[in-house]
Amino acid sequence: MKYYIIAGEASGDLHGSNLMKALLEEDPKAEIRFWGGDLMQSVGGTLVKHYRELAFMGFVEVLFNLKTIFNNIKFCKKDIATFQPDAIIFIDYPGFNMRIAKWAKEHGIPTHYYISPQIWAWKENRIAAVKRDFDYLYVILPFEKDFYEVKHHFPVTFVGHPLIDAIHNQTVISRQDFIKENKLEDKPIIALLPGSRKQEISKMLSVMLSVVGDFEDYQFVIAGAPSQEYAFYLPFLKSKNVHFISNKTYELLNHATAALVTSGTATLETALFKVPEVVCYKGSWASYQIAKRIITLKYISLVNLIMDKEVVTELIQEKCNPKNIRIELQKILDPKHRNEVIANYSLLEEKLGGVGASKKTAQLIVRSLSK
C-alpha cells in the first residue's frame, strides 16, 4: 500500500516516525511519502518537505506568511495527485491539514487523522469540516472521545497517547555519562524548554534566563530544538551557569530536577518524565489579545487540561516575569511540593492509556485498507 503522511511540526515528526515504524511492521511493503523531519526521514520513505519550512507561530506571523502557506498547499495537492496514495494520514497541524483533507475527500482518497485537531480549545465550528472530510479519527487525549462522540455524535477511536511510546522506547544513559558527554557540571539540572520556533525561543529564553543568578547551586540547561542552529542560541549562553544541548530533550528530562517549559506538547513530556515544572508562555501582544478572546479553556498546559485541575503552575503573558518564575521555581524545588506534583503525574499517566498508540493506529489504518 502507498501512504502519504503530513506532519508539520517537531512533535508531529516524533509521532510520525513511530507511526511509520508501526506501519512498516504491519505492511512491510508499504511505500511512504511524507512531510516531516529528521526522525521520520531516519525511518525511511521519501521526505517531500521538512517541517522547518512550515513553522509559523501566532496569528500575526501567519498573516505575514500567507503566500508561502498557500504555495505549500498547492504544491502538496499536486504531489499527492502524482503519488496516488491508498491513504493520507494527517498528524495534527490542522490549519494546513484540514485544507488538504477537504481536497483529498473530494478526490476519493481515504483520510485518516492521527492526533486530531484541538477544536475543543477553539474553532469548535470546525466539527462540520471534520465530519465531512475525515473517514477515520484517532484521538490521543481521554476527554476527546466524549467531546466527539457524545457532544458531536462523530465516532472516533481513543488509541492512547503516543508520547508514552516515545518515552518508553528511548535509550537511557547514566547521569554520569550524560554529564560527561555534554560537558556539564556535577550540579542538579534545571531544564529550559523554550519551544521550537525562533520567535518563541527568543522571547521565552530572555525571561527564563533572568533567574539564573538566584539559583547558583543549580545549572540551567537549554534544550535546543533540532530545527534551529547552534549559532541562534549563542547570544543566550553568556553565563557560566547556563549550558546548551541540542536534540537531546528526552535525555535532558531524564536527568533534570526541575524545568521551565513553554506551553505545548513539552509540558506533557516533562510530566511523563516526572519532572516538576513551571509552564511559561509569552506571545506577541497582538496574538495574545486575539487568542484570549477566542480560547475559553481554563488552562493552557496539557497536564492541567487532562487532570482538570492545576497540577502545574501556568505563568501566562504579564504573569510570566522574573519575580513569579523565581517564586514558582523555588516551590517545585521544595521536597514537599515536588512530591505532590509527582504523585499527580502518576495519575496523569494512568489516564493516558499506557503504551501502544502507534501500533494500535497503524493496525487500524492497515485494516481499513484491507476491507
Side-chain angles (χ1 to χ4, degrees), residues 7-288:
E9 298 169 305
S11 60
D13 180 37
L14 171 64
H15 303 320
S17 67
N18 287 325
L19 180 63
M20 286 170 65
K21 290 172 190 173
L23 278 172
L24 288 166
E25 287 176 8
E26 298 296 321
D27 181 4
K29 294 182 179 179
E31 289 183 57
I32 303 175
R33 191 169 175 85
F34 62 92
W35 296 44
D38 299 341
L39 294 175
M40 292 173 76
Q41 192 167 25
S42 70
V43 177
T46 303
L47 174 65
V48 180
K49 268 190 184 290
H50 200 289
Y51 67 79
R52 70 169 66 98
E53 298 179 54
L54 313 172
F56 303 110
M57 177 193 173
F59 301 97
V60 176
E61 292 80 5
V62 167
L63 285 174
F64 280 116
N65 289 281
L66 278 177
K67 184 178 179 181
T68 300
I69 292 168
F70 285 126
N71 283 340
N72 283 336
I73 290 170
K74 184 178 179 181
F75 170 75
C76 185
K77 291 175 181 176
K78 184 178 179 181
D79 194 56
I80 292 170
T82 302
F83 184 57
Q84 294 188 322
D86 295 292
I88 303 178
I89 303 167
F90 303 91
I91 301 179
D92 202 1
Y93 199 50
F96 186 91
N97 275 337
M98 290 186 71
R99 286 178 170 84
I100 300 298
K102 182 177 186 295
W103 173 87
K105 186 72 173 180
E106 291 169 352
H107 286 76
I109 307 170
T111 52
H112 298 254
Y113 212 150
Y114 178 46
I115 308 179
S116 60
Q118 296 179 349
I119 62 173
W120 41 265
W122 69 299
K123 290 192 175 180
E124 191 169 343
N125 60 350
R126 280 179 165 179
I127 187 64
V130 170
K131 286 182 171 183
R132 181 192 66 214
D133 298 332
F134 295 99
D135 299 308
Y136 304 93
L137 197 62
Y138 311 103
V139 300
I140 63 172
L141 299 172
F143 59 79
E144 290 181 315
K145 188 169 177 66
D146 280 349
F147 172 82
Y148 283 106
E149 293 191 342
V150 176
K151 187 173 183 181
H152 292 291
H153 313 291
F154 183 62
V156 302
T157 305
F158 173 60
V159 292
H161 206 293
L163 277 181
I164 297 177
D165 287 352
I167 291 169
H168 181 77
N169 293 334
Q170 65 152 340
T171 302
V172 179
I173 67 171
S174 69
R175 175 183 169 80
Q176 186 178 3
D177 287 343
F178 177 72
I179 287 174
K180 183 179 179 181
E181 183 181 305
N182 295 286
K183 299 181 175 59
L184 303 178
E185 301 172 69
D186 190 15
K187 287 181 176 181
I189 294 169
I190 296 173
L192 303 182
L193 280 65
S196 59
R197 302 177 180 96
K198 284 186 176 179
Q199 302 106 308
E200 66 180 346
I201 293 170
S202 296
K203 192 178 290 285
M204 296 316 307
L205 275 182
S206 297
V207 67
M208 287 176 172
L209 291 171
S210 65
V211 301
V212 169
D214 299 303
F215 297 90
E216 293 183 355
D217 293 335
Y218 297 83
Q219 58 184 324
F220 289 74
V221 182
I222 299 168
S227 56
Q228 305 300 339
E229 301 294 331
Y230 174 68
F232 172 70
Y233 292 93
L234 270 176
F236 301 101
L237 304 177
K238 295 175 182 177
S239 169
K240 65 177 183 179
N241 211 25
V242 177
H243 305 273
F244 173 85
I245 60 173
S246 182
N247 205 16
K248 294 181 181 179
T249 301
Y250 281 12
E251 289 182 25
L252 173 60
L253 288 173
N254 211 34
H255 298 290
T257 299
L260 301 178
V261 186
T262 297
S263 69
T265 305
T267 64
L268 188 54
E269 289 173 311
T270 304
L272 291 173
F273 274 96
K274 306 297 190 291
V275 180
E277 64 185 296
V278 181
V279 177
C280 308
Y281 181 76
K282 231 177 187 178
S284 70
W285 181 87
S287 291
Y288 177 70

